[in-house]
């Protein structure tokens, strides 16, 4: 399977691949606010709602039939560790945003939030099976490396790491990547997720050390 290496995305943000204040680790620690939730492939449903032209929902089988990509990415936890060269396989955020009609390619391939009857999408709220939520400005999500990942290192994503499906955000601290994700809502105004309400940064750029707000 072909693989795209996006580990050079740091060049957009800073001089060093490992962001300031981070230490490289070879382990892949598990960080969850609670227990790993149960996953039932028969009843699992993924929804795309909010300021879109067409709200979408997918069963597990339908989600797995979506076009997928494999990428080599780095993973930066706000608690100070970074794991380099993770291989994630999944569906790009752009793929879902296009299917729902959130975005429209402009002249130079740029994307903009589109007006819908409920307004213009500017923000995204991710939800998950354990009740976790996290949010990001829409423009920070409209990037090829934001993936809904079901595969890790050629295997199914382990449940502790968010299997069956998690978000990965290699350009952000990893709390922006909802494990056990089961929905995205396109919002017409900024809204705060679980850690963001508790003082963590909304934008979470590791190269600017945006840890807390
Ligand atoms: N649903 C859910 N997603 C989550 C969390 C969580 O508690 N619940 N923790 C976040 C935090 S703080 C981090 S650092 C990463 C950790 O991912 P990992 O356990 O695969 O290392 O997941 C993020 N996504
Ligand atoms: Mo974290």
């Amino acid at each position: 399977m072909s693989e795209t290496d996006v580990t050079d995305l740091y060049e957009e943000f800073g001089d060093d691949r490992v962001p300031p204040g981070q230490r490289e680790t070879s382990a892949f620690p598990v960080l969850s606010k609670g227990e790993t939730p149960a996953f039932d492939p028969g009843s699992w449903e993924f929804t795309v709602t909010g300021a879109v032209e067409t709200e979408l929902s997918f069963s597990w089988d339908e989600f797995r039939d979506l076009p997928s990509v494999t990428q080599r990415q780095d993973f930066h936890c706000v608690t100070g560790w970074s794991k380099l060269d993770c291989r994630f396989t999944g569906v790009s955020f752009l793929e879902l945003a296009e299917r729902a009609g959130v975005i429209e390619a402009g002249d130079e391939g740029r994307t903009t939030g589109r007006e819908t009857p409920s307004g213009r999408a500017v923000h995204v709220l991710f939800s998950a099976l354990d009740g976790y939520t996290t949010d990001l400005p829409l423009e920070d999500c409209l990037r090829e490396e934001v993936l809904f990942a079901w595969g890790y290192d050629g295997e199914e994503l382990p449940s502790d790491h968010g299997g069956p499906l998690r978000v990965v955000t290699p350009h952000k601290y990893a709390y922006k990547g909802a494990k056990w994700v089961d929905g995205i809502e396109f919002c017409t105004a900024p809204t705060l997720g679980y850690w963001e309400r508790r003082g963590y940064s909304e934008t979470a750029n590791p190269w600017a050390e945006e840890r807390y707000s």
Side-chain angles (χ1 to χ4, degrees):
M1 188 194 273
S2 77
E3 175 181 314
T4 310
D5 187 337
V6 299
T7 58
D8 59 356
L9 69 79
Y10 73 88
E11 292 168 0
E12 189 182 323
F13 302 104
D15 294 335
D16 298 313
R17 183 168 165 190
V18 176
Q22 295 290 110
R23 203 166 23 83
E24 195 183 332
T25 174
S26 57
F28 194 178
V30 168
L31 273 139
S32 309
K33 70 177 179 63
E35 301 290 306
T36 293
F39 160 59
D40 172 10
S43 60
W44 187 90
E45 188 190 19
F46 183 93
T47 57
V48 182
T49 58
V52 292
E53 288 181 345
T54 316
E55 294 195 331
L56 305 174
S57 90
F58 300 90
S59 68
W60 178 240
D61 286 342
E62 288 168 343
F63 199 93
R64 286 297 297 258
D65 283 342
L66 291 169
S68 62
V69 295
T70 297
Q71 291 182 4
R72 184 172 294 272
Q73 306 193 338
D74 297 340
F75 191 98
H76 308 293
C77 177
V78 71
T79 61
W81 53 268
S82 291
K83 181 169 172 55
L84 306 184
D85 296 312
C86 304
R87 269 179 68 226
F88 288 109
T89 301
V91 179
S92 158
F93 186 97
L94 293 170
E95 178 79 38
L96 291 178
E98 261 169 65
R99 284 171 187 249
V102 180
I103 56 168
E104 160 166 86
D107 287 342
E108 291 140 34
R110 284 171 51 86
T111 53
T112 53
R114 175 184 285 185
E115 290 285 348
T116 71
S118 50
R120 182 179 186 274
V122 294
H123 213 82
V124 179
L125 187 68
F126 298 85
S127 57
L129 295 175
D130 63 339
Y132 187 81
T133 53
T134 186
D135 69 276
L136 273 176
L138 176 60
E139 64 180 328
D140 286 339
C141 298
L142 297 175
R143 299 176 57 104
E144 64 160 339
E145 65 273 10
V146 177
L147 299 183
F148 294 86
W150 43 256
Y152 174 69
D153 226 0
E155 312 272 342
E156 295 293 300
L157 179 69
S159 57
D160 284 355
H161 285 300
L165 189 70
R166 79 167 303 160
V167 180
V168 286
T169 55
H171 60 320
K172 299 292 181 184
Y173 289 122
Y175 65 89
K176 294 296 181 181
K179 304 198 282 189
W180 314 297
V181 65
D182 68 349
I184 46 177
E185 181 186 350
F186 288 91
C187 306
T188 54
T191 174
L192 297 179
Y194 179 86
W195 284 119
E196 292 83 0
R197 283 197 296 270
R198 290 162 176 79
Y200 281 74
S201 166
E202 257 194 282
T203 44
N205 173 359
W207 291 272
E209 288 205 71
E210 294 170 352
R211 297 175 197 269
Y212 308 102
S213 60

